[in-house]
Amino acid sequence: MKTIAEQLNIKDFPFKIKDKLGNEIYHENSFGYWVKQEYDSKDNKTYFEDSDGYWYKREYDSKGNQIYYENSDGYWAKQEYDSNGKETYFENSSGDWYKREYD
């Protein structure tokens, strides 16, 4: 499969594409290595993928706290937060977890 720069016959590197908010959503170098990224409406990075096959996804709550992470290596983590934005719960695919309570 051809890269975006190859499809567009780009010869000037690095080749970059930005979204309307100025976030870099695509970057490619002269060796054909590329990175794709996605952002939500609050400028949080929600997805990353590169030409080596590595990727990760992130989810956020309405306050911008990361509540879920997953990557191509099979690792995942999830968090919960209280109304003040303090982390109250954490769990991951390695078996680590904790709960916190605040006064």
Side-chain angles (χ1 to χ4, degrees):
M1 183 166 102
K2 289 186 173 187
T3 67
I4 291 177
E6 289 173 329
Q7 291 174 38
L8 298 174
N9 203 26
I10 302 293
K11 303 293 184 204
D12 188 24
F13 292 93
F15 174 64
K16 301 176 186 181
I17 300 173
K18 294 184 179 187
D19 66 14
K20 64 183 177 183
L21 298 175
N23 297 310
E24 191 172 286
I25 58 172
Y26 185 83
H27 181 109
E28 186 175 329
N29 68 22
S30 60
F31 300 108
Y33 176 79
W34 55 260
V35 169
K36 291 182 196 177
Q37 302 175 113
E38 296 175 8
Y39 296 82
D40 65 16
S41 61
K42 294 184 178 181
D43 257 0
N44 296 307
K45 188 184 297 186
T46 58
Y47 185 75
F48 171 94
E49 178 184 0
D50 70 18
S51 55
D52 292 333
Y54 179 76
W55 59 263
Y56 65 78
K57 299 178 197 178
R58 295 177 178 163
E59 294 176 18
Y60 301 86
D61 64 17
S62 61
K63 293 185 177 182
N65 298 306
Q66 181 177 297
I67 57 171
Y68 187 74
Y69 173 89
E70 177 183 4
N71 70 29
S72 56
D73 296 329
Y75 177 82
W76 59 263
K78 57 184 174 180
Q79 299 92 269
E80 295 175 5
Y81 299 85
D82 66 14
S83 60
N84 294 317
K86 292 182 179 179
E87 187 179 61
T88 58
Y89 180 78
F90 173 86
E91 178 183 1
N92 68 22
S93 56
S94 301
D96 302 320
W97 69 273
Y98 58 81
K99 264 188 154 175
R100 291 185 181 153
E101 293 184 25
Y102 299 92
D103 296 331

